[in-house]
């Protein structure tokens, strides 16, 4: 059974609809992420789960029970925000013990649980330090450890790493996943950082203007985006104008960027002759060679190198088609002694496998 279920949640501020009918369900033990740009309603949704706001309509079920009438402090969950909110005059140990003291646990039970918690998140070395003697990442680890110490049903995290620098953030990704796995607590994580969402989550809900555009595993979201918005928001993506130019049983042919054609499956006859949309394909799914490679079903056409960007593990090429369309292609730099593949103005052949992309009509 789902631990948390949101049913058609709506929240308005004056005449502005911040959350516009969100339904989703989260399983026990998941690392679930709400991902979306600034202002899309992530924090508002989290605050309703925490009980700091109430929905105008819809239901929030925790373990199958409506929690509408439970005030925030009675909900079996904690929230971690961007700022650390540790007690400055308390050591790490006392900070972590605080929720248990408030809940009137006895001293030996507190000691036992706090020691267990400190070692499970590897804070032993810092246990007697004060918050000002810790780095930002360490402070945030303490804040999370404190939130997990009484084993809440849910931990809500609102951009908890956004105050940290990029390197520390990456380190904290590993720590967060470990803390989540060890505690078994269900995490609901909010971020606008798509790479963070993909790296951490068991599932991701991609939000846009108060709705969930797509919900799925990181792999599904990345490789099978359902809308233009999701394809564009997550990772790099070529989004090429496409139109159905021919329709046959179970298949349609797309004319793409007025430059080449691809035939794709059309199982439920979703697409008709003339249907317009975009062919979305990731840069790393595109191949480029010196010679044409003719293969069944695969588009192969000439392009010219417009420029390239060295990324270390790969090089991102921009290829120009005759009509001015630009196609980005990420080539891996994993071949030894290979500094670059092509130079500006080189003529190359691009090949695109229709199975590597998605035809999006929304
Ligand atoms: N108390 C409030 N009164 C009026 N408008 C609000 C209030 N809280 C949020 N909003 C508006 O609702 C929308 C969603 O805000 P929310 O804070 O949920 O966005 P967010 O996705 O968390 O963005 P960010 O990534 O910037 O934190 C925004 O347009 C915001 O201005
Ligand atoms: Mg927010």
């Amino acid at each position: 059974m789902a631990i948390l279920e949101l049913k058609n949640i709506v929240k308005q501020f004056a005449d502005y609809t911040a959350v516009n009918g969100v339904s989703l369900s989260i399983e026990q033990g998941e690392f679930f992420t709400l991902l979306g740009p600034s202002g899309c309603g992530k924090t508002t949704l989290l605050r309703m789960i925490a009980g700091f706001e109430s929905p105008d309509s819809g239901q929030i079920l925790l373990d199958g029970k409506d929690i509408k009438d439970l005030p925030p402090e009675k909900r079996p969950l904690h929230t971690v925000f961007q700022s650390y909110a540790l007690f400055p005059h308390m050591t790490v140990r006392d900070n972590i013990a605080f929720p248990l003291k408030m809940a009137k646990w006895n001293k030996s039970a507190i000691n036992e649980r706090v020691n267990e918690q400190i070692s499970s998140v590897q804070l032993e070395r810092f246990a007697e330090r004060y918050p000002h003697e810790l780095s930002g990442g360490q402070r945030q680890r303490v804040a999370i450890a404190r939130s997990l110490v009484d084993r809440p049903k849910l931990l809500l995290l609102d951009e908890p790493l956004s105050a940290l620098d990029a390197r520390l953030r990456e380190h904290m990704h590993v720590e967060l996943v470990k803390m989540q796995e060890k505690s078994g607590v269900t995490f609901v994580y909010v971020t606008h950082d798509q790479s963070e969402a993909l790296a951490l989550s068991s599932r991701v809900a991609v939000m846009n203007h108060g709705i969930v555009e797509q919900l799925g595993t990181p792999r599904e979201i990345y490789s099978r985006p359902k809308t233009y918005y999701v394809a564009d928001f997550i990772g790099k993506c070529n989004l090429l104008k496409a139109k159905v130019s021919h329709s046959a049983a179970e298949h349609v042919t797309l004319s793409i960027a007025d430059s080449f054609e691809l035939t794709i499956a059309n199982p439920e006859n979703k697409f008709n002759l003339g249907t317009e949309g975009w062919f979305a394909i990731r840069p790393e799914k595109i191949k480029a060679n010196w010679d044409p490679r003719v293969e069944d079903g695969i588009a192969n056409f000439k392009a010219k190198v417009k420029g390239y960007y060295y990324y270390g593990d790969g090089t991102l090429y921009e290829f120009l088609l005759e009509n001015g369309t630009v196609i980005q292609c990420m080539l891996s730099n994993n071949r030894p002694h290979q500094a670059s593949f092509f130079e500006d103005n080189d003529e190359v052949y691009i090949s695109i496998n229709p199975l590597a992309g998605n035809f999006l009509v929304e």
Side-chain angles (χ1 to χ4, degrees), residues 284 312-315 330-335 338 341:
E284 70 272 17
D313 53 349
T315 302
M330 180 66 93
L331 299 178
S332 165
N333 289 333
N334 62 7
R335 283 188 251 173
Q338 177 130 25
F341 299 87

Side-chain angles (χ1 to χ4, degrees), residues 13 16 18 37-44 53 159 192:
F13 295 110
Y16 185 79
S38 186
C40 73
K42 307 181 294 294
T43 297
T44 305
E53 301 276 1
E159 314 234 9
H192 61 261

Side-chain angles (χ1 to χ4, degrees), residues 54-307:
S54 44
D56 296 327
S57 62
Q59 271 189 313
I60 302 177
L61 307 181
L62 189 65
D63 273 340
K65 289 191 213 77
D66 195 323
I67 53 172
K68 181 169 73 215
D69 298 322
L70 273 189
E73 68 279 6
K74 291 265 171 64
R75 299 189 179 193
L77 52 83
H78 293 300
T79 310
V80 175
F81 300 98
Q82 177 186 332
S83 58
Y84 319 116
L86 295 176
F87 302 113
H89 58 285
M90 285 185 200
T91 62
V92 166
R93 175 182 298 282
D94 291 342
N95 263 285
I96 293 176
F98 186 78
L100 305 181
K101 283 190 184 143
M102 293 304 287
K104 306 220 165 22
W105 283 36
N106 74 47
K107 220 171 174 181
S108 68
I110 292 179
N111 274 339
E112 193 180 332
R113 175 59 68 83
V114 169
N115 284 334
E116 185 191 316
Q117 186 67 14
I118 285 176
S119 75
S120 91
V121 297
Q122 286 141 38
L123 286 167
E124 293 99 332
R125 284 193 296 140
F126 312 113
E128 309 311 326
R129 290 201 200 171
Y130 288 88
H132 73 269
E133 298 169 316
L134 301 173
S135 73
Q138 289 160 350
R139 264 178 256 169
Q140 202 56 317
R141 255 165 75 199
V142 175
I144 295 166
R146 185 180 61 185
S147 304
L148 292 171
V149 75
D150 60 351
R151 302 289 184 266
K153 282 190 196 288
L154 285 181
L155 185 60
L156 311 178
L157 303 105
D158 195 350
E159 314 234 9
L161 308 184
S162 55
L164 309 178
D165 70 49
R167 226 180 114 79
L168 197 50
R169 225 168 27 234
E170 253 172 52
H171 173 72
M172 280 298 291
H173 289 165
V174 180
E175 295 295 323
L176 267 176
V177 169
K178 278 197 225 157
M179 288 168 100
Q180 196 268 335
E181 282 174 355
K182 278 201 180 140
S183 65
V185 170
T186 308
F187 278 25
V188 184
Y189 193 89
V190 160
T191 183
H192 61 261
D193 179 337
Q194 43 97 15
S195 60
E196 187 165 289
L198 295 181
L200 296 177
S201 319
S202 47
R203 286 189 307 151
V204 180
V206 185
M207 292 185 65
N208 183 21
H209 291 305
I211 62 156
V212 173
E213 282 247 352
Q214 188 171 350
L215 197 160
T217 63
R219 200 175 284 269
E220 284 163 357
I221 299 278
Y222 184 81
S223 64
R224 294 283 169 237
K226 289 213 169 95
T227 63
Y228 182 102
Y229 173 83
V230 173
D232 192 38
F233 188 68
I234 313 275
K236 290 187 176 61
C237 198
N238 292 291
L239 285 152
L240 305 168
K241 275 231 171 281
K243 186 173 179 175
V244 175
S245 58
H246 184 76
S247 165
E250 309 270 290
H251 286 87
V252 290
T253 299
L254 302 176
S255 166
I256 299 172
D258 293 324
S259 302
F260 62 97
E261 290 194 327
L262 283 175
T263 297
I264 61 163
N266 186 24
E268 284 140 27
N269 292 315
K270 230 166 82 186
F271 313 127
N272 305 312
L273 194 64
T275 300
E276 291 187 30
W278 299 269
F279 186 72
I281 183 161
R282 303 285 178 196
E284 70 272 17
K285 297 287 188 190
I286 290 180
K287 299 217 165 71
N289 290 297
W290 287 114
D291 334 293
R293 306 264 165 109
V294 182
E295 276 178 76
D296 251 9
I298 292 184
N300 202 275
F301 49 89
K302 239 192 204 167
K304 202 166 164 178
V305 178
K306 182 173 169 259

